[in-house]
Amino acid sequence: MRIGAPSSSEQVPASLVSASFFPLLGITPLLGRFFSPAEDAPPAGVPVVVLSEELWRRRFGADRGIIGRTVPIDGASYTVVGVAPAGFTGAARLVGDHWATNAGAAWLELALRLRTDATLAQGAAYATQVLRAMPERPAWSDPAIRAVLHPIRGVRNVDGTLTREARVAGWLGGVAVVVLLVACANVTNLLLARALQRRRDAAVRIALGGSRARFIAQACGEGAVMALVASGAALVLARLSMGALHTLLLPDLPPPAALDGVRAVVAMLVVGMGLGAGIGLAAALRSFGGDVAHELRGGAARPRASVRAQRWLIVGQTTLSTLLLVGAGLFLRSARRARAAELGFDPAHVLVVTTESTTERSPTALGSDLGFERVQHLPGVVAASRSMTVPFSARIAMRVHTPDRDSLPASAGNGPIGNYVSPSYFHVLGIAVREGRPFSTDDRRGAPSVVIVNETMARTLWPGRSAIGECLIIERVSGCATVVGVVADVRQHAIDERAPMQLYLPFAQRPPIVGPGRVLLGGAPGGGARGPPPPPALAAIDPSATYVGLEPLDDVVAQERRPWRLGALLFGIFAGLALVVASVGTYSVLAQEAASRQRELGVRLALGARPVDVLSLVVRDGLRLAGAGVALGLGAATLLAPHLAGLLFHTSPRDAAVYAGVALVLLGAAAAASLLPARRAAGIDPVVSMRAE
């Protein structure tokens, strides 16, 4: 719905609700009140509206004096009676910016609260019984009619399967946990290395009467303080970057809740400190086994258990990083294939014109004959077309059959779906005509009925022969509509759908009950020197227009591609972080091992080993650790692949190229992380190293 004056209006999501809507959900207004029963009384109710908190702040500047004022909505005046609490977006799956009462709505969804001892199945059975007994709707007594109940904002579809949003949220939550585990493993390695370097100091303290518990408590405290500082920095970074990430990734969705709630901040700090203290405790216990005499005698060898622990932590980090990189690679390939997917039309340089008018059928409306004629001559318009709908928007289902059959074969996408289009529609959208001809100006009202079908419909209804000249009997079309053309399949509802049966009818032959439809504007690549016509130029054609908006068809298609683009981006960010952390961990462990093996390496060099031999020894050690982690990670990715398949676009979850690329990247990163410790080890002076011992 449009809110605001015509010169500054904007389109916002809206919900038409009854007076019991807010009490049913247990919502308390942030400002003012909600609807009263008198305002929701038939036949038309009272024009009152409740604003969402986000719209109240953004458009009205959080003005507390908004209560009692009127605002224009779709050309009518509504009185603001309340503001909903922050974060409340309604019971529908679509976000609402304002709620209005409307006792005459034909399409309704009922919200109800079940008793604590009632199940969804029992509620659905009772609702179905009530539905079939409604005297106002005798057709609903059909036994095939039934009511379906589902939780508000539930994580499952009606058929019991997880929604796409729930699956994506689950995977992203799992990815965040994996990154946390990689970071914990890396910090454990670093603290373990620090504790190993302080073994002799700890032994001296204990020998002089110091408490071993105090030594362990010191390690736990250091870990907790380090985690506290890191958690605070992460909160600040998240707060600063949240707005930018939301604008970049999800600009058309409501902003997320702020990270300033006391419970959220305290929970993050407590979890961080707990993890830090636990990691410090584990490092302290692993690094010092309690053999004070051995340490005081100058025992330099590191405990084997600690060495094994550090190595296994490196393998674990690499394993988890492999999983994340495989996910990022799969989503990246999906995003590329979604972008290159054959849509059947070219959305580039096409604008969809959206209008709102105070007059339902204005003679100068942009979709009317007169208005459309004027639109075609505006500067920047190369071609224009009219249609009732466009791809990835509302679909028009049509009842169709042929003279020799009463029903059509089953089709993907609940087809056939139809559209009324002008002759230039196929040219503006770049839809290829495979056979026959497009519509012409001769296909007007009063002329013989004609129809154009897509390849799927032609192949389904007339296999093995040409569809040109065949007859289709279509609802609201008198007589037999003759097929005059066959066009390419068009993705109408989703990029990953199978093309349904589609048919196109001449816009000039549309029934009287069909409105003026939409206008599509085709411009030159890059917009040309003058660019597309501005909304004021379009509004000047129709004085009754209260709003005129332009939406690039490319933006509509981009929203359909967004799940794979977001998956690639977020998986890539998390995988990149994990790769950096794992590389740092590999470097730290190998550097410490090289330092602890200084005498051994010095002896090797003194006995004739070349520096390149020492360098390759250290690098091979790093590659062995990385290789073990990569092997385990690829095996785990193979086992988890079936769970990821439903989120990918035309990409196998076991894509060999992705797996091979991830292995090369990780092994290359391990080699790079091993190179600096290896060069230091290769540069050891044998004499100095043995004297030091």
Side-chain angles (χ1 to χ4, degrees):
M1 300 177 77
R2 306 301 313 176
I3 185 169
S7 59
S8 60
S9 64
E10 64 172 310
Q11 189 169 4
V12 296
S15 299
L16 301 174
V17 302
S18 63
S20 59
F21 174 74
F22 295 102
L24 175 72
L25 299 179
I27 304 300
T28 303
L30 177 67
L31 200 65
R33 62 174 177 83
F34 293 138
F35 307 132
S36 67
E39 291 168 336
D40 191 32
V46 179
V48 290
V49 64
V50 173
L51 304 176
S52 72
E53 187 268 348
E54 189 274 332
L55 181 67
W56 172 61
R57 290 189 180 277
R58 175 173 55 81
R59 186 169 180 87
F60 300 98
D63 181 7
R64 302 185 70 86
I66 189 69
I67 304 300
R69 284 165 47 186
T70 59
V71 295
I73 299 177
D74 276 356
S77 294
Y78 284 74
T79 302
V80 178
V81 297
V83 176
F88 179 70
T89 57
R93 296 185 183 275
L94 295 178
V95 176
D97 271 344
H98 62 275
W99 295 267
T101 59
N102 186 333
W107 293 95
L108 296 176
E109 286 187 339
L110 299 181
L112 52 90
R113 187 183 298 277
L114 295 176
R115 295 196 313 264
T116 56
D117 59 342
T119 64
L120 277 179
Q122 292 172 336
Y126 178 74
T128 299
Q129 182 181 0
V130 173
L131 185 69
R132 293 176 180 171
M134 291 183 66
E136 301 88 350
R137 295 288 188 272
W140 289 358
S141 61
D142 188 334
I145 298 293
R146 66 186 180 94
V148 177
L149 272 62
H150 59 80
I152 294 177
R153 294 194 179 278
V155 298
R156 294 187 180 274
N157 297 309
V158 176
D159 60 0
T161 60
L162 286 174
T163 62
R164 180 178 291 241
E165 293 84 356
R167 286 183 292 162
V168 171
W171 274 99
L172 290 180
V175 167
V177 171
V178 169
V179 175
L180 177 63
L181 292 176
V182 172
C184 289
N186 191 59
V187 173
T188 303
N189 249 336
L190 295 177
L191 291 181
L192 186 58
R194 177 180 173 83
L196 288 172
Q197 292 174 350
R198 298 167 61 184
R199 282 181 304 151
R200 186 174 179 83
D201 174 61
V204 171
R205 286 188 184 185
I206 295 174
L208 294 177
S211 170
R212 186 173 312 203
R214 185 175 180 181
F215 168 72
I216 295 176
Q218 179 184 351
C220 293
E222 290 177 351
V225 170
M226 180 181 62
L228 178 64
V229 174
S231 298
L235 281 171
V236 173
L237 180 61
R239 181 69 182 272
L240 295 176
S241 61
M242 182 177 293
L245 289 175
H246 174 260
T247 302
L248 175 65
L249 301 178
L250 302 168
D252 55 332
L253 294 182
L259 290 177
D260 53 6
V262 175
R263 287 185 297 178
V265 172
V266 171
M268 290 188 66
L269 295 180
V270 169
V271 170
M273 292 179 64
L275 287 174
I279 290 172
L281 175 63
L285 295 177
R286 271 291 181 183
S287 63
F288 185 69
D291 192 353
V292 177
H294 175 72
E295 293 297 335
L296 293 177
R297 286 196 300 269
R302 297 191 303 161
R304 291 185 178 181
S306 298
V307 174
R308 286 195 301 269
Q310 285 187 297
R311 287 176 167 265
W312 274 113
L313 286 172
I314 290 297
V315 172
Q317 291 181 69
T318 308
T319 299
L320 297 176
S321 299
T322 302
L323 284 173
L324 294 180
L325 283 172
V326 167
L330 293 174
F331 269 102
L332 181 60
R333 287 181 76 87
S334 292
R336 288 181 175 176
R337 288 175 176 173
R339 185 170 183 80
E342 178 58 45
L343 303 176
F345 66 97
D346 183 7
H349 319 303
V350 177
L351 299 174
V352 182
V353 182
T354 303
T355 63
E356 296 289 344
S357 177
T358 56
T359 304
E360 184 177 355
R361 291 182 181 273
S362 170
T364 58
L366 299 183
S368 66
D369 294 341
L370 179 59
F372 183 66
E373 179 65 26
R374 294 174 179 176
V375 166
Q376 297 181 78
H377 294 91
L378 287 177
V381 177
V382 175
S385 173
R386 290 182 289 180
S387 71
M388 291 308 302
T389 183
V390 294
F392 304 122
S393 66
R395 299 191 295 179
I396 303 174
M398 290 188 173
R399 290 193 290 270
V400 179
H401 65 275
T402 59
D404 58 343
R405 65 177 77 183
D406 294 332
S407 60
L408 300 185
S411 169
N414 296 323
I417 59 176
N419 197 2
Y420 292 94
V421 302
S422 62
S424 55
Y425 179 82
F426 304 105
H427 169 67
V428 171
L429 287 185
I431 300 175
V433 179
R434 303 298 191 194
E435 187 180 5
R437 65 170 179 86
F439 296 133
S440 69
T441 55
D442 294 332
D443 300 318
R444 56 188 179 274
R445 193 179 304 277
S449 300
V450 294
V451 63
I452 293 176
V453 300
N454 70 335
E455 292 178 291
T456 295
M457 192 166 190
R459 188 169 51 249
T460 303
L461 299 185
W462 304 285
R465 69 179 192 269
S466 173
I468 303 301
E470 296 290 347
C471 170
L472 277 180
I473 300 174
I474 308 169
E475 62 174 332
R476 298 195 182 98
V477 175
S478 60
C480 178
T482 304
V483 177
V484 296
V486 178
V487 297
D489 291 337
V490 171
R491 297 292 182 269
Q492 184 70 27
H493 181 62
I495 292 180
D496 55 350
E497 73 172 354
R498 290 176 54 197
M501 291 192 287
Q502 300 165 327
L503 58 99
Y504 304 88
L505 298 166
F507 196 83
Q509 295 182 356
R510 69 191 187 281
I513 63 172
V514 178
R518 301 190 184 190
V519 175
L520 305 180
L521 303 181
R530 294 170 294 184
L538 294 167
I541 296 177
D542 181 15
S544 67
T546 58
Y547 167 78
V548 176
L550 295 175
E551 182 180 22
L553 193 54
D554 261 332
D555 291 353
V556 178
V557 176
Q559 294 179 14
E560 297 298 319
R561 293 171 173 153
R562 185 169 60 189
W564 300 285
R565 181 173 61 87
L566 287 180
L569 181 60
L570 295 177
F571 259 97
I573 291 175
F574 285 131
L577 288 174
L579 180 61
V580 171
V581 171
S583 299
V584 171
T586 302
Y587 163 78
S588 64
V589 169
L590 292 180
Q592 185 188 25
E593 285 195 0
S596 66
R597 296 171 61 188
Q598 186 174 2
R599 188 172 190 277
E600 173 202 340
L601 298 176
V603 171
R604 287 175 180 268
L605 292 170
L607 294 177
R610 297 173 300 171
V612 68
D613 297 329
V614 175
L615 186 145
S616 62
L617 177 67
V618 177
V619 171
R620 284 199 306 271
D621 199 19
L623 290 178
R624 278 196 296 269
L625 294 176
V630 169
L632 291 175
L634 293 181
T638 302
L639 294 177
L640 293 174
H643 302 286
L644 190 62
L647 299 177
L648 302 178
F649 180 80
H650 294 176
T651 301
S652 169
R654 297 187 176 97
D655 191 295
V658 170
Y659 282 40
V662 167
L664 290 176
V665 168
L666 283 168
L667 292 176
S674 308
L675 192 58
L676 186 56
R679 291 182 62 182
R680 289 178 179 174
I684 292 175
D685 187 335
V687 177
V688 173
S689 65
M690 287 187 286
R691 282 178 179 175
E693 290 292 332

